[in-house]
């Protein structure tokens, strides 16, 4: 028959003391177990059982106040807690431990002579993970202690790995932020250089790209794009016609209608723009805008004949911004259309030239478009 161990129920004053298991030391840290009982003989009996079978460090406390003092300096991995103690009982001690951030993860096994169901329920309600009644079976107690220590060790290992992962993610995030800032600085410098090339090439084009950038920003925000997208399109929309630096002035500044051959050459500005930006360390959004902004929603645009959402959103937005500005400003080959006429044309091209949602965004903010047009003449 398994031996049932009785614990004495006489009171004695005691001091806290610790005991290490007499086992060969290993690289692994020993688990720390805190035994809390107001009877010194009971504490010693539990300690002897544990040190004979487990690789652990034992600490002892005679009352709740001693427990609260101990955990301020050294957290145990497991607490074996008596319930019936003078002053502060085990339930009160457990509740106070649960209120402390650093102590609430410590598993508590109640060891008590109280066998009523109400006490067991109260123990679990107050943070206990197990409940052992006196007299207890030595092997059963050890099995319960081992199970809780094994679970605690796994939880600690998981928390440590999570902390390491969080630290690594923070480090990587810092590196990404630094890289992003570097690329943004390089991109801003490159955009400025390319914009200046356009400005030097054609004053009309210079004013045009400023307005298109503002129109595209307004459309992206109204469309519901996130803040980062809006920030980037403001920067890169101005590069939509960057490839025109490779088009002959005779074509760019021709006052009349293009011949078919001239129009084919003019189309090449999107290819030239793509090549220029492919060779630069710059956000892919810039390349998409330069290369795809003459594609049309119904697939009839150039140079790839893309349709619908196969066209990048940034290019669909810039397409409308570009056309609105072209319609409402004087060009070498035409007079400016009235705004109401430009609105009529854009509405007629909804679902044909333009993404319907982008058209809806335009009409929601058309008054803002007019103000931008008036400010950036």
């Amino acid at each position: 028959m398994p031996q049932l161990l009785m614990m004495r129920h006489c009171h004695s004053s005691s001091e806290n003391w610790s005991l290490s298991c007499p086992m060969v030391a290993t690289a692994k840290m020993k688990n720390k177990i805190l035994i809390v009982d107001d009877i010194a003989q009971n504490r010693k009996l539990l300690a002897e059982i544990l040190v004979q079978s487990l690789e652990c460090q034992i600490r002892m406390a005679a009352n709740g106040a001693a427990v609260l003092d101990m955990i301020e300096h050294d957290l145990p991995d497991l607490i074996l807690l008596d319930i019936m103690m003078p002053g502060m009982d085990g339930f009160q001690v457990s509740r106070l431990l649960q209120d402390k951030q650093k102590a609430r993860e410590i598993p508590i096994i109640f060891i008590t002579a109280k066998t009523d169901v109400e006490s067991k329920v109260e123990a679990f309600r107050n943070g206990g993970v197990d409940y052992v009644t006196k007299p207890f079976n030595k092997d059963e107690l050890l099995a319960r202690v081992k199970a809780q220590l094994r679970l605690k060790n796994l939880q600690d290992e998981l928390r440590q790995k999570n902390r390491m992962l969080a630290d690594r993610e923070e480090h990587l995030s810092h590196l990404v932020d630094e890289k992003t800032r570097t690329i943004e600085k390089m991109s801003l410098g490159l955009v400025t250089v390319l914009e200046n090339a356009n400005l030097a090439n054609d004053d009309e084009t210079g004013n045009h790209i400023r307005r298109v950038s503002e129109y595209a920003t307004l459309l992206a925000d109204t469309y519901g794009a996130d803040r980062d997208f809006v920030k980037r399109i403001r920067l890169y929309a101005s590069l939509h016609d960057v490839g025109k630096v490779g088009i002959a002035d005779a074509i760019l500044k021709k006052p009349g209608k293009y011949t078919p051959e001239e129009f084919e050459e003019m189309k090449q500005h999107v290819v030239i723009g793509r090549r220029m930006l492919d060779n630069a360390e710059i956000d892919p959004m810039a390349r998409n805008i330069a290369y795809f902004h003459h594609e049309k929603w119904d697939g009839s645009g150039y140079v790839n004949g893309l349709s619908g959402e196969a066209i990048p959103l940034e290019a669909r937005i810039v397409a409308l911004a570009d056309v609105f500005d072209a319609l409402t400003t004087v060009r070498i080959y035409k007079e400016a259309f009235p705004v109401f006429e430009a609105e009529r044309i854009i509405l007629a091209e909804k679902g044909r030239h333009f993404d319907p949602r982008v058209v809806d965004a335009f009409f929601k903010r058309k008054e803002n478009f007019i103000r931008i047009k008036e400010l950036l003449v």
Side-chain angles (χ1 to χ4, degrees), residues 69 75 104 174 219 273 362:
D69 181 64
L75 293 177
R104 65 181 53 159
H174 178 69
L219 283 173
F362 167 77

Side-chain angles (χ1 to χ4, degrees), residues 42-57:
N42 289 349
R43 297 195 299 271
K44 292 179 182 179
L45 175 61
L46 277 172
E48 289 171 0
I49 293 171
L50 295 174
V51 299
Q52 288 171 6
S53 303
L54 301 176
E55 186 172 356
C56 58
Q57 293 179 338

Side-chain angles (χ1 to χ4, degrees), residues 111-370:
I111 300 183
T112 178
K114 295 172 71 69
T115 60
D116 59 288
V117 173
E118 291 78 8
S119 294
K120 293 180 180 180
V121 171
E122 185 70 11
F124 287 108
R125 184 181 293 128
N126 284 283
V129 297
D130 207 344
Y131 192 96
V132 177
T133 56
K134 307 170 187 177
F136 55 78
N137 177 278
K138 172 184 173 181
D139 293 332
E140 180 185 353
L141 174 67
L142 287 171
R144 291 174 183 268
V145 168
K146 288 177 182 178
Q148 293 301 328
L149 287 176
R150 187 161 51 247
L151 180 59
K152 178 65 163 53
N153 290 339
L154 289 172
Q155 290 172 335
D156 288 347
E157 183 179 353
L158 179 60
R159 276 191 287 270
Q160 182 180 12
K161 288 182 177 179
N162 284 339
R163 284 194 296 269
M164 291 173 63
L165 181 60
D167 290 343
R168 179 174 175 80
E169 288 179 347
E170 183 178 356
H171 177 65
L172 290 175
S173 177
H174 178 69
L175 292 178
V176 169
D177 288 344
E178 284 190 346
K179 181 66 173 176
T180 299
R181 284 192 293 270
T182 300
I183 291 175
E184 284 180 347
K185 289 179 181 178
M186 293 174 63
S187 296
L188 183 58
L190 179 59
V191 168
T192 302
V193 169
L194 294 173
E195 282 183 349
N196 288 339
N198 268 346
L199 290 171
N201 185 60
D202 185 353
D203 287 340
E204 178 185 293
T205 299
N207 293 327
H208 166 67
I209 64 176
R210 293 190 187 100
R211 290 189 296 269
V212 168
S213 179
E214 293 301 319
Y215 294 151
T217 303
L218 185 61
L219 283 173
D221 182 60
T222 309
Y223 188 92
D226 62 49
R227 184 179 301 178
D228 179 66
F229 184 98
V230 174
K231 175 183 175 182
R232 290 158 59 214
I233 203 169
R234 176 185 288 276
L235 179 62
Y236 299 122
S238 61
L239 297 181
H240 70 284
D241 277 340
V242 68
K244 285 185 177 180
V245 298
I247 302 298
D249 281 355
I251 293 177
L252 282 179
K253 299 179 180 180
K254 182 178 178 179
K257 187 177 180 180
Y258 291 144
T259 66
E261 293 77 15
E262 289 170 336
F263 185 53
E264 287 303 315
E265 184 173 345
M266 186 62 178
K267 287 181 182 179
Q268 292 305 302
H269 80 275
V270 299
V271 178
I272 295 169
R274 182 200 67 186
R275 289 173 182 165
M276 291 173 65
L277 297 172
D278 275 345
N279 293 327
E281 187 177 359
I282 195 169
D283 191 325
M285 179 184 279
R287 174 190 181 277
N288 288 344
I289 289 171
Y291 191 42
F292 297 117
H293 74 282
H294 282 292
E295 303 290 347
K296 296 183 180 181
W297 184 257
D298 65 2
S300 63
Y302 65 85
V303 289
N304 298 283
L306 299 182
S307 63
E309 294 187 356
I311 307 167
L313 175 59
E314 53 266 33
R316 304 195 314 258
I317 288 173
V318 171
L320 191 149
D322 184 27
V323 169
F324 176 80
D325 193 69
L327 290 172
T328 57
T329 55
V330 175
R331 295 296 174 91
I332 196 169
Y333 54 86
K334 74 167 191 66
E335 295 297 320
F337 287 15
V339 171
F340 73 85
E341 181 64 14
E343 292 174 359
R344 185 193 65 77
I345 293 171
I346 288 172
L347 184 59
E349 291 296 318
K350 181 178 181 179
R352 296 165 61 184
H353 189 152
F354 305 119
D355 176 348
R357 282 189 61 192
V358 176
V359 173
D360 291 342
F362 167 77
F363 279 101
K364 284 180 182 178
R365 304 293 291 276
K366 64 180 183 179
E367 299 302 324
N368 300 82
F369 270 72
I370 295 171

Side-chain angles (χ1 to χ4, degrees), residues 17-21 31-35 43 46-48 50-51 56-60:
W17 59 280
S18 62
L19 178 66
S20 294
C21 309
N31 285 118
K32 292 176 285 187
I33 301 176
L34 174 59
I35 299 172
R43 297 195 299 271
L46 277 172
E48 289 171 0
L50 295 174
V51 299
C56 58
Q57 293 179 338
I58 302 296
R59 297 198 69 190
M60 301 187 185

